Amino acid sequence: MKIPPHLRLFLLASFVLLFAFATLAAVLTWNTLQQPSRQPAASKAVIAPVLDPEQALRRLSQALSVPTISWQDPAIDTKQTFDKLHQQLEQGFPEIYKQLKPERIGQNLLIRWPGTDAKLKPVLFAAHLDVVPVENRNSWQKPPFSGARSGGFVWGRGSLDDKNSAMALLEALETRIKTGRLPKRSIYLAFGADEEIGGKGAQSLVRRLKSQKVKLAAVLDEGMVIVPGSMIGLNPPVALIGIAEKGYLTLEIKAEQLGGHASMPPQETAVDILGTALQRLRNQPLPARIEGPAAELFNWLGPEMPTLRRVALANRWLAEPLLLSQLAAKPSTNALIRTSFAPTMLSASPKENVLASQAKSVINLRVLPGDTPEMIQEHFKRVINDDRVKVRAISPLATAKASRVSRTDSEFFKLLSGSVKEVFPQVLIAPNLVLAATDSRHYEPITEDIYRFQPLFLSEKDLDRIHGRNERISESGYLRMIQYYQHLMGKM
Ligand SMILES: [Zn+2]
């Protein structure tokens, strides 16, 4: 039989196409299978020394009733308030104060529990004792500095950020000391008193440790929590562990023109020039990419996803453009993949009938690991493409770079994540990027790794309470935090 040439061509093309599809399917499947689950196994039974839950909750409630607010205005004297909190701590944790002699540096606190093996580098648990102010006290269901206990919650400013961490760490340490069993490596607790206004306190603690030539294996600070899996498209809750935090940069862009009377305006005023510059920046944001913490997030969660997404995440060489466009569509995920850009302030002419001689906008950026302030300003100048517009940094460049990215295969990360699996068996673990700044960044010069995580489950609504209204912590969640720290400290 003779096959006509056009049919032969068609068969050949079909065969090639089929072969290409089969190869692609094989590659996609192979890559997907090459990504096994990274979730740690729960290898140890939870060991938590005896704790009196009622007393622990009472101590938290008391601590929340002391309004240790960090004010931007340095003229406001907060000494008495902080003194009161320190007195409470001394009364509440007699073993720590008797045996370990905590060191108070200003209003900051440093505690060292010496380990038995001097060759092992110590670990440090950080938290902060200050809180942000409350805007409208009357709009709270329970007064923000009452420490009220009601409906299974302890209410108050600082109950999630971050007195809960400080108090839970102290409870864990106090009960650990009472068991009489010493840790192998030394454990530090370090509490700053002004995290919310920059963390000079944490810096003074770091200086003290530096002067003692202390080199840490790891720091654990606040930053992320356990969130509902539904926020990420999964069923089980996910413990997000911050392995890096973004940098903080504020730029001013300024357009200058001759001023004059608004009755005879030129073709372009300073306001027009600035407006065009802002529009150009909006149209060409800093480039997005999946690397560092975002890549780790997907490496850890990909294998736990439903099939289609699992295949996509395992084959980023192919799916990346689609993935990036999906991530860019939501503010919370857009912030993970690029240096974010937010114009926050505008100013121009002081009077309605006067042309502005200069128009200015202030832009707040949160810098992705890998980006530098120089690169960002370069990008701005190139995109604006107008010599009449000047760009300059108005925030300190020291905080503009993101933190280092900590390892997910370090010994401490294994202990930390293993303990999550043991205390919260149903939870998945994933490294992530912290978008805000924490005190932990000050420890970078003296530690190998920094992790940012509170062992606490919070719903999406609860997350809004942080720095917001009706901040409160569930009593059972708080007790579980203590249990987690007890268990983790027991592994040191
Ligand atoms: Zn905080």
Side-chain angles (χ1 to χ4, degrees):
M1 189 185 75
K2 199 158 184 270
I3 303 169
H6 66 276
L7 191 59
R8 221 185 312 172
L9 197 66
F10 173 75
L11 284 175
L12 186 69
S14 307
F15 179 74
V16 169
L17 215 62
L18 205 66
F19 182 75
F21 269 125
T23 311
L24 182 65
V27 170
L28 295 183
T29 312
W30 173 256
N31 284 342
T32 309
L33 296 177
Q34 287 307 102
Q35 297 277 335
S37 176
R38 299 185 184 217
Q39 299 300 312
S43 54
K44 279 199 165 160
V46 177
I47 300 169
V50 186
L51 172 89
D52 181 339
E54 260 317 297
Q55 290 301 317
L57 290 164
R58 186 187 56 80
R59 280 186 286 267
L60 174 66
S61 154
Q62 264 191 348
L64 294 175
S65 70
V66 188
T68 49
I69 298 170
S70 268
W71 299 100
Q72 216 71 49
D73 177 0
I76 300 175
D77 188 6
T78 55
K79 184 176 181 308
Q80 272 191 347
T81 318
F82 275 93
D83 283 347
K84 189 174 167 198
L85 181 63
H86 283 287
Q87 277 159 22
Q88 268 187 17
L89 299 184
E90 194 165 345
Q91 280 157 15
F93 303 99
E95 290 303 318
I96 293 177
Y97 277 78
K98 198 173 82 199
Q99 295 194 31
L100 308 185
K101 309 255 181 309
E103 188 180 0
R104 223 176 110 178
I105 303 168
Q107 297 297 354
N108 314 286
L109 197 62
L110 188 63
I111 303 172
R112 175 173 176 263
W113 191 23
T116 54
D117 187 346
K119 286 197 293 294
L120 293 174
K121 283 185 180 168
V123 295
L124 183 143
F125 295 88
H128 62 91
L129 301 173
D130 61 320
V131 298
V132 290
V134 171
E135 269 183 35
N136 183 359
R137 284 173 194 236
N138 298 329
S139 68
W140 284 51
Q141 275 167 268
K142 304 281 172 207
F145 295 105
S146 62
R149 288 180 59 192
S150 163
F153 296 92
V154 189
W155 296 69
R157 176 61 87 221
S159 56
L160 300 175
D161 177 15
D162 179 40
K163 277 183 184 162
N164 56 329
S165 299
M167 295 301 287
L169 284 165
L170 289 168
E171 297 287 350
L173 184 59
E174 178 85 1
T175 50
R176 270 274 156 219
I177 295 173
K178 282 186 189 159
T179 66
R181 195 182 144 259
L182 297 172
K184 280 210 208 69
R185 62 174 83 231
S186 299
I187 294 176
Y188 282 94
L189 263 53
F191 303 154
D194 60 355
E195 190 272 348
E196 301 290 359
I197 47 170
K200 287 215 159 55
Q203 291 173 48
S204 69
L205 295 174
V206 171
R207 272 198 301 279
R208 175 57 51 97
L209 293 168
K210 259 189 184 165
S211 74
Q212 296 165 344
K213 306 224 170 348
V214 175
K215 286 276 176 205
L216 300 166
V219 170
L220 178 64
D221 195 6
E222 61 170 346
M224 308 219 103
V225 292
I226 305 171
V227 298
S230 55
M231 284 172 72
I232 309 169
L234 278 162
N235 263 334
V238 181
L240 296 170
I241 299 174
I243 55 169
E245 65 188 51
K246 285 182 122 176
Y248 185 104
L249 174 67
T250 306
L251 296 178
E252 178 196 80
I253 60 175
K254 185 164 76 177
E256 285 181 315
Q257 273 294 65
L258 287 176
H261 203 282
S263 62
M264 288 182 301
Q267 284 291 324
E268 257 187 322
T269 68
V271 172
D272 295 315
I273 296 167
L274 180 70
T276 305
L278 286 175
Q279 192 55 49
R280 286 180 182 160
L281 288 168
R282 177 53 69 212
N283 293 340
Q284 278 189 66
L286 284 132
R289 58 182 188 266
I290 299 176
E291 61 172 44
E296 287 275 20
L297 176 73
F298 296 126
N299 291 343
W300 281 68
L301 288 183
E304 317 305 322
M305 292 271 181
T307 314
L308 211 62
R309 300 176 92 183
R310 196 176 149 200
V311 174
L313 286 172
N315 291 280
R316 292 209 288 271
W317 60 276
L318 184 68
E320 184 148 314
L322 183 72
L323 212 57
L324 281 175
S325 75
Q326 276 184 3
L327 293 168
K330 258 175 79 180
S332 60
T333 45
N334 185 43
L336 272 183
I337 52 168
R338 60 159 51 94
T339 293
S340 64
F341 155 92
T344 51
M345 297 163 81
L346 271 177
S347 64
S349 166
K351 199 167 183 303
E352 64 183 39
N353 60 356
V354 173
L355 292 173
S357 57
Q358 57 176 27
K360 282 193 290 195
S361 175
V362 168
I363 295 170
N364 186 239
L365 299 116
R366 303 303 169 101
V367 183
L368 205 62
D371 285 358
T372 64
E374 297 77 34
M375 273 166 63
I376 294 166
Q377 292 191 57
E378 229 8 83
H379 172 91
F380 268 49
K381 284 175 191 157
R382 196 180 63 244
V383 169
I384 293 171
N385 192 22
D386 185 336
D387 290 339
R388 296 169 298 177
V389 181
K390 302 282 177 261
V391 178
R392 71 179 181 114
I394 57 170
S395 66
L397 288 180
T399 51
K401 262 177 94 175
S403 74
R404 284 202 311 257
V405 179
S406 294
R407 295 171 295 167
T408 54
D409 58 358
S410 69
E411 194 188 339
F412 191 73
F413 189 85
K414 284 177 192 152
L415 295 176
L416 175 72
S417 54
S419 299
V420 173
K421 214 61 188 174
E422 282 141 9
V423 179
F424 305 90
Q426 73 286 22
V427 162
L428 293 173
I429 289 148
N432 201 359
L433 175 66
V434 176
L435 306 179
T438 69
D439 263 351
S440 72
R441 67 185 185 281
H442 302 304
Y443 290 88
E444 224 168 48
I446 59 164
T447 188
E448 288 172 10
D449 293 292
I450 297 173
Y451 304 105
R452 302 154 184 89
F453 171 66
Q454 280 187 8
L456 177 67
F457 177 84
L458 291 184
S459 70
E460 250 183 299
K461 273 197 176 143
D462 288 334
L463 291 169
D464 291 337
R465 299 174 192 271
I466 297 172
H467 290 208
R469 276 189 305 155
N470 293 320
E471 191 176 344
R472 64 176 196 191
I473 188 168
S474 87
E475 295 188 348
S476 59
Y478 178 62
L479 295 173
R480 195 97 87 98
M481 269 184 97
I482 298 173
Q483 200 186 44
Y484 176 86
Y485 290 132
Q486 286 176 321
H487 182 61
L488 181 59
M489 284 179 190
K491 292 181 177 178
M492 296 298 126

